[in-house]
């Protein structure tokens, strides 16, 4: 029989197990989150903890992003996402997330120009993209190309680590967009276009995607702004699956590119960043099948049916995803601006209305997440569905970089190596093949 009590005043937790009682320190975060530090649990009691999916386990202490899932709060370095979405832009927010403060004008100009300088790919890197089949998943291309571009970067001398880090940051932010655009143009058989230097990040990306050779793509400012906000909203999200992967890989002292490439692969999954693709395919399937909203909701609730309502639910948000709120408003604005009346948006809205009044979803606190509306906006911009998760990766790049840096700069950093509870065969013997049945 074991019991655990926390004495907030003395900041300790008491665990009694098998007649033994130990005191464990309690860590309190700046937003008053409390954690029991179990670092000495196994050496003191022989016990480890078990927490499937790490639903109750803090893997690190971080200063980058704060989420309050019950209140629908998301802040990058303390600044609410709503303020940044209204007043900032992706590049400035990337600087905030990575370097921990809003940049001065000089710092922002230098950062912007560094990204512009590093946006074009090395000529041979374009050949590497040619090596992928035209039908290759864009996330496969992105994850592979991140280690390819590392190979074209100057060898790290260690003489000026901060300058080398800043170059790597600019390289990853700039080239992620170029890799995405080059992958798209290859798939549609269009030659690439050169990047524009003095053009805002999102506008330059749309130019790289849609410009005809020799001309400049004239993106509607509202559309470019909406894309910039989508990237900004995806920029970080504390210890989600892909960011935890970046930290895990970085904890072995793997370099930034290798760690980020691993994060891209983690994001790929349909339960994580791949959900934005699944949402659009789900909405399109509902439209073509003619299934009623009630039938779709019934399937989502049916435990015997593998179908789930993609774009709904979240491990942390149990009230609403503040990003989904902003994107829902943006979807209305972009579609009306582009004069597009999207049936899929109507289906999405009806799904949300019905689900939010259904006890199954209400009891399980399932609300639209960041992926529910983002794809509708990107589709209206002409971005193909298969690129949606790459767009998510482009947006998440600052958060991955900032988290890798926290691990890399922490002198007390240790390699991530979880324990397990072994459930396999107890002691066994080798049997010669002639004696096996
Ligand atoms: C992202 O972590 C992050 O921060 C991620 C992210 C980020 O910015 O990095 O926010 C980005 O990944 C957003 C989530 C995108 N994924 C989807 O939209 C896929 C659909 N959603 C689910 O698969 C699910 O909600 C998760 C994966 C998002 C969360 O899963 P959890 O926390 O492990 O919750 P769960 O699977 O244990 O679900 C709890 C209950 C279960 O029912 P019961 O067993 O209690 O009866 O809710 C049900 C689930 O079956 N449920 C759903 C559902 N999501 C959860 N039922 C139907 N449809 C859904 N979408």
């Amino acid at each position: 029989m074991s019991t655990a009590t926390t004495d907030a005043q003395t900041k300790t937790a008491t665990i009694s197990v098998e007649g033994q009682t130990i005191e464990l320190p309690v860590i309190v975060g700046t937003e008053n989150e409390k954690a029991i530090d179990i670092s000495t649990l196994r050496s003191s009691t022989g016990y480890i903890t078990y927490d499937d999916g790490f639903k109750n386990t803090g893997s690190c202490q971080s200063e980058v992003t704060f989420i309050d899932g019950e209140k629908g709060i998301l802040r990058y370095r303390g600044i609410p996402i709503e303020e940044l979405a209204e007043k900032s832009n992706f590049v400035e927010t990337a600087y905030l997330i990575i370097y921990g403060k809003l940049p001065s004008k000089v710092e922002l100009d230098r950062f912007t120009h560094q990204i512009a300088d590093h946006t074009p790919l090395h000529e041979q890197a374009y050949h590497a993209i040619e090596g992928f089949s035209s039908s290759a998943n864009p996330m496969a291309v992105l994850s592979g190309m991140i280690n390819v571009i590392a190979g074209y970067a100057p060898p790290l001398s260690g003489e000026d680590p901060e300058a080398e880090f800043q170059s790597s940051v600019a390289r990853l932010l700039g080239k992620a967009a170029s890799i995405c655009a080059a992958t798209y143009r290859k798939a549609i058989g269009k030659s690439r276009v050169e990047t524009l230097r003095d053009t805002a990040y999102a506008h330059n990306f749309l130019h790289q995607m849609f410009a005809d050779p020799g001309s400049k793509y004239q993106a509607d400012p509202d559309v470019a702004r909406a894309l910039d906000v989508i990237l900004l909203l995806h920029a970080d999200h504390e210890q989600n699956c892909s960011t935890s992967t970046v930290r895990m890989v970085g904890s072995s002292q793997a370099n930034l590119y290798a760690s980020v490439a691993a994060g891209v692969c983690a994001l790929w999954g349909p339960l994580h960043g791949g959900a934005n693709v699944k949402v659009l395919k789900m909405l399109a399937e509902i439209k073509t099948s003619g299934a009623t909203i009630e039938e779709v909701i019934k399937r989502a609730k049916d435990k015997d049916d593998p179908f789930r309502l993609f774009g709904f639910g979240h491990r942390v948000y149990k009230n609403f995803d503040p990003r989904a709120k902003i994107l829902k408003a943006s979807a209305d604005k972009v579609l009306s601006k582009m004069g597009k009346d999207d049936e899929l948006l109507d289906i999405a809205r009806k799904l949300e209305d019905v689900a939010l009044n259904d006890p199954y979803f209400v009891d399980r606190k399932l609300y639209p997440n960041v992926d529910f509306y983002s794809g509708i906006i990107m589709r209206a911009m002409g971005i193909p569905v298969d690129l949606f998760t790459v767009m998510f990766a482009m947006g998440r790049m600052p958060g991955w970089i900032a988290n890798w840096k926290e691990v890399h700069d922490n002198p007390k950093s240790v390699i991530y190596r979880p324990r397990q509870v072994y459930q396999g065969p107890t002691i066994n013997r080798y049997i010669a093949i002639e004696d096996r049945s």
Side-chain angles (χ1 to χ4, degrees):
M1 171 66 180
S2 67
T3 56
T5 55
T6 304
D7 176 341
Q9 278 63 41
T10 59
K11 297 288 180 282
T12 60
T14 304
I15 288 189
S16 297
V17 61
E18 288 185 15
Q20 184 185 359
T21 297
I22 61 167
E23 296 286 310
L24 293 171
V26 166
I27 298 169
V28 182
T30 52
E31 287 289 345
N32 209 29
E33 290 168 291
K34 296 178 183 62
I36 299 171
D37 179 346
I38 57 168
S39 309
T40 60
L41 179 67
R42 188 170 186 275
S43 58
S44 307
T45 67
Y47 276 69
I48 62 171
T49 57
Y50 177 71
D51 183 21
D52 187 26
F54 306 126
K55 294 189 175 183
N56 306 281
T57 296
S59 61
C60 62
Q61 298 188 62
S62 175
E63 300 177 7
V64 182
T65 292
F66 172 67
I67 297 176
D68 182 322
E70 284 66 36
K71 296 175 185 165
I73 290 173
L74 169 56
R75 300 182 195 140
Y76 296 153
R77 301 288 184 178
I79 302 179
I81 193 71
E82 294 80 3
E83 276 190 62
L84 291 167
E86 182 192 343
K87 301 171 184 171
S88 186
N89 59 59
F90 175 63
V91 168
E92 184 181 62
T93 298
Y95 188 100
L96 168 71
I97 287 171
I98 294 168
Y99 296 107
K101 71 180 191 72
L102 288 170
S104 66
K105 178 141 182 16
V106 169
E107 288 166 334
L108 182 58
D109 288 348
R110 185 169 65 239
F111 186 55
T112 303
H113 286 119
Q114 264 188 323
I115 293 171
D117 289 342
H118 285 296
T119 295
L121 296 180
H122 187 289
E123 193 56 31
Q124 286 183 327
Y126 283 110
H127 296 321
I129 291 179
E130 287 305 314
F132 287 88
S133 77
S134 295
S135 59
N137 186 300
M139 288 296 272
V141 179
L142 180 62
S143 60
M145 285 303 296
I146 282 174
N147 281 310
V148 166
I149 64 173
Y152 291 107
L156 298 179
S157 66
E159 287 165 18
D160 187 348
E162 194 49 34
E164 289 175 340
F165 172 72
Q166 289 174 11
S167 297
S168 297
V169 168
R171 202 171 280 117
L172 282 166
L173 291 172
K175 289 174 169 40
S178 296
I179 292 165
C180 178
T183 304
Y184 168 65
R185 294 181 77 98
K186 173 178 184 288
I188 62 171
K190 268 193 166 186
S191 60
R192 70 177 188 276
V193 294
E194 294 313 317
T195 65
L196 302 172
R197 273 207 56 85
D198 299 320
T199 305
Y201 189 90
H203 195 147
N204 188 26
F205 170 71
L206 291 170
H207 166 77
Q208 286 183 274
M209 286 280 288
F210 303 125
D212 292 323
S215 66
K216 179 176 178 181
Y217 180 73
Q218 296 300 335
D220 178 302
D222 287 343
V223 171
R225 173 63 185 158
L227 177 60
D228 189 81
V229 171
I230 286 176
L231 296 171
L232 181 157
L233 291 173
H234 284 78
D236 192 43
H237 215 238
E238 60 151 71
Q239 299 312 309
N240 58 84
C241 179
S242 54
T243 301
S244 297
T245 300
V246 169
R247 290 185 80 110
M248 167 78 81
V249 174
S251 76
S252 72
Q253 295 185 1
N255 67 59
L256 175 58
Y257 297 89
S259 305
V260 165
V264 171
C265 293
L267 187 72
W268 193 342
L271 294 187
H272 190 15
N276 56 19
V277 174
K278 296 285 280 185
V279 167
L280 255 293
K281 292 183 174 175
M282 172 184 77
L283 295 173
E285 188 188 312
I286 293 168
K287 179 185 170 189
T288 50
S289 69
T292 65
I293 298 298
E294 289 65 27
E295 286 163 343
V296 173
I297 294 292
K298 184 167 180 284
R299 282 192 62 196
K301 291 156 58 173
D302 181 355
K303 292 301 173 203
D304 298 326
D305 188 331
F307 174 81
R308 50 179 41 200
L309 205 54
F310 283 97
F312 255 74
H314 199 276
R315 173 63 56 78
V316 175
Y317 288 124
K318 298 307 176 189
N319 187 333
F320 61 90
D321 183 335
R323 302 167 297 176
K325 274 193 162 185
I326 295 168
L327 288 170
K328 181 177 180 180
S330 178
D332 290 331
K333 186 175 178 184
V334 169
L335 266 71
S336 59
K337 177 77 183 184
M338 298 189 78
K340 293 193 175 180
D341 183 21
D342 189 345
E343 262 191 81
L344 301 190
L345 179 57
D346 296 338
I347 294 171
R349 285 201 196 99
K350 287 173 190 158
L351 268 178
E352 180 181 4
D353 289 345
V354 174
L356 295 189
N357 290 289
D358 184 299
Y360 173 92
F361 291 86
V362 175
D363 295 348
R364 291 167 177 80
K365 299 181 178 175
L366 305 175
Y367 298 88
N369 59 47
V370 68
D371 294 304
F372 194 62
Y373 286 103
S374 59
I376 289 169
I377 303 170
M378 292 192 281
R379 179 174 175 269
M381 293 173 180
I383 296 171
V385 176
D386 287 346
L387 277 186
F388 286 0
T389 311
V390 173
M391 300 300 298
F392 191 145
M394 279 169 57
R396 186 52 51 88
M397 202 59 79
W400 287 337
I401 293 168
N403 277 271
W404 177 87
K405 191 85 162 58
E406 278 197 333
V407 172
H408 182 267
D409 287 357
N410 177 3
K412 295 181 183 170
S413 198
V414 292
I415 191 167
Y416 283 25
R417 202 274 184 218
R419 292 276 180 165
Q420 63 165 28
V421 176
Y422 177 69
Q423 299 287 14
T426 51
I427 187 70
N428 216 333
R429 287 280 174 269
Y430 180 81
I431 299 168
I433 192 159
E434 54 274 14
D435 300 332
R436 296 172 203 162
S437 53

